[in-house]
Amino acid sequence: SRVAAMSDFNSDPQVPPPPPPAAPAPPAPGYAPPPGYGSYPQVAAKPPRPAVPIAGYLCLAGGALLILGSVLNWFSIQGEDFNGFSTVGDETKDGPVFVFFGIVAIGAGITFLAARRVLALAIVALVLEVFAMFGAFADLGDVADAKDIAETFDVDFTTGPGLYVVLLGSLIAIAGNIVALAKRRR
């Protein structure tokens, strides 16, 4: 009978079911997964770094002011004007140094406007513009000392706008580099 053939008491050995197919190895990167498999987890791509035009414009303005302040009048003694390129005794001239810092700030500004990978440049430019700021403060101290000496000897002495423009330029360039550093990861 048919029921007896299906029972467990049947002496006919049954063939075991075939084993499930082995899972294929995952494909090499860049290839599609095999049929029936979901997609492989994707690594999230970093979003593009934002442009930093405000930082670029600040650095351009700061660099221009650094250069302009180097050639403007820093002080006058007895009607003779002195700027960052004038020789007073055997003192070194700081005007070329401030022009260098101005060129660095302008270069950083152009790069901030043209490129998006700005971290290293922003850090280097920030450090150099801080040096420019400290140099401007040191030169302002020197001019103040010279003014005190001139007043002691009743010599006509006036302070010009040059060093203040240099200081303002360095502060604006510092602000531009800080903006670049702050905005680069938003």
Side-chain angles (χ1 to χ4, degrees), residues 56-68 98 101-102 105-106 129 165-166 168-174:
Y57 295 130
L58 286 171
C59 285
L60 288 173
L65 288 174
L66 277 162
I67 294 170
L68 177 64
F98 290 128
F101 289 138
I106 290 172
E129 301 314 327
V165 172
V166 166
L168 178 64
S170 66
L171 293 174
I172 291 173
I174 288 170

Side-chain angles (χ1 to χ4, degrees), residues 37 95 139 157:
Y37 285 87
D139 283 343
F157 187 96

Side-chain angles (χ1 to χ4, degrees), residues 1-11:
S1 90
R2 196 170 169 114
V3 174
M6 295 178 116
S7 75
D8 290 340
F9 296 83
N10 189 353
S11 63

Side-chain angles (χ1 to χ4, degrees), residues 65-83:
L65 288 174
L66 277 162
I67 294 170
L68 177 64
S70 296
V71 296
L72 287 177
N73 180 24
W74 287 12
F75 62 91
S76 298
I77 298 177
Q78 300 278 357
E80 186 178 351
D81 295 337
F82 294 92
N83 64 16

Side-chain angles (χ1 to χ4, degrees), residues 141-155 157:
D142 291 344
V143 169
D145 291 345
K147 184 177 183 178
D148 290 342
I149 293 170
E151 288 175 355
T152 302
F153 293 106
D154 199 26
V155 174
F157 187 96

Side-chain angles (χ1 to χ4, degrees), residues 4 14 28 40 49 52 63 68 72 86 96 111 115 119 135 149 165 180-181:
Q14 295 221 352
Y40 292 110
R49 290 188 174 125
V52 285
L68 177 64
L72 287 177
S86 301
T111 304
L119 176 64
I149 293 170
V165 172
L181 289 172

